């Protein structure tokens, strides 16, 4: 039974997130959690069981130059480390891949951002490719924007006349 990109039975996952904003437009964040599987899954010749997942990252605002953007928070450099610690299955350890990624996040409009990241594995294990490149388009409602006021409804004609 070779399951791929899924679980053979039920699974439960949970992540906690922490974030700190430091002076000089620096933000540091971290996450940790677990993925519990009722049954191990086999992908190729590798058996996957329960996992502890983790990540840590930082962003720093890039100051404007040549009048290309207005504020440091509009363009940020990113550095991320993330990975998985697998458990012991059938007298061997699950893969415990780890990666490092660098990138840029640009806020093109108050509600839209584009993130470009490139990374590589820190160890050669299943789940951490030699090269990973991602492009994300992110929508986040602008917290400073208020909805337009509702227009009053026109009075309905009176049925008694």
């Amino acid at each position: 039974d070779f399951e791929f990109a899924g679980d053979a039975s039920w699974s439960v996952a949970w992540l906690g997130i922490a974030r700190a904003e430091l002076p000089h437009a620096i933000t540091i964040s971290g996450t940790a959690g677990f993925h519990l599987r009722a049954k191990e899954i086999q992908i190729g010749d590798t058996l996957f069981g329960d996992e502890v997942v983790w990540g840590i990252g930082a962003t720093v605002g890039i100051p404007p130059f040549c009048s290309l953007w207005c504020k440091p928070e509009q363009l940020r450099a990113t550095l991320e480390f993330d990975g998985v610690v697998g458990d012991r299955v059938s007298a061997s350890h699950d893969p415990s891949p780890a990666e490092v990624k660098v990138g840029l996040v640009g806020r093109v409009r108050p509600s839209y951002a584009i993130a470009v990241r490139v990374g590589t594995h820190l160890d050669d294990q299943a789940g951490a490719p030699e090269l990973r490149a991602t492009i994300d388009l992110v929508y986040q409602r602008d917290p400073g924007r208020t909805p337009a006021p509702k227009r009053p409804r026109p009075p309905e004609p009176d049925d008694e006349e």
Side-chain angles (χ1 to χ4, degrees):
D1 195 293
F2 290 95
E3 302 291 331
F4 184 75
D7 287 330
S9 183
W10 62 265
S11 67
V12 175
W14 177 85
L15 285 174
I17 300 171
R19 173 185 162 131
E21 293 189 14
L22 305 175
H24 309 294
I26 297 172
T27 302
I28 296 176
S29 58
T31 185
F34 60 84
H35 186 182
L36 300 176
R37 293 183 172 98
K39 290 173 57 176
E40 289 84 17
I41 56 172
Q42 179 90 29
I43 301 176
D45 61 351
T46 305
L47 193 61
F48 293 82
D50 300 332
E51 302 168 329
V52 172
V53 294
W54 60 270
I56 188 165
T59 67
V60 61
I62 299 175
F65 59 92
C66 301
S67 301
L68 293 178
W69 57 92
C70 301
K71 302 176 217 160
E73 60 268 13
Q74 286 182 286
L75 185 65
R76 301 181 71 79
T78 66
L79 176 63
E80 302 172 27
F81 295 94
D82 58 63
V84 172
V85 178
D87 70 353
R88 186 175 295 276
V89 176
S90 304
S92 66
H93 281 287
D94 280 4
S96 297
E99 293 182 60
V100 61
K101 292 176 251 180
V102 296
L104 292 172
V105 177
R107 189 160 294 282
V108 293
R109 302 284 302 148
S111 298
Y112 293 95
I114 297 175
V116 177
R117 295 180 184 96
V118 176
T120 188
H121 59 78
L122 296 175
D123 54 355
D124 192 15
Q125 295 195 34
E130 263 186 63
L131 175 68
R132 184 185 308 263
T134 62
I135 299 174
D136 302 316
L137 175 61
V138 180
Y139 171 79
Q140 178 182 15
R141 184 170 172 215
D142 181 8
R145 186 174 177 197
T146 58
K150 291 184 178 180
R151 290 190 282 178
R153 294 171 111 182
E156 292 186 21
D158 198 8
D159 291 335
E160 295 178 9
E161 289 182 37

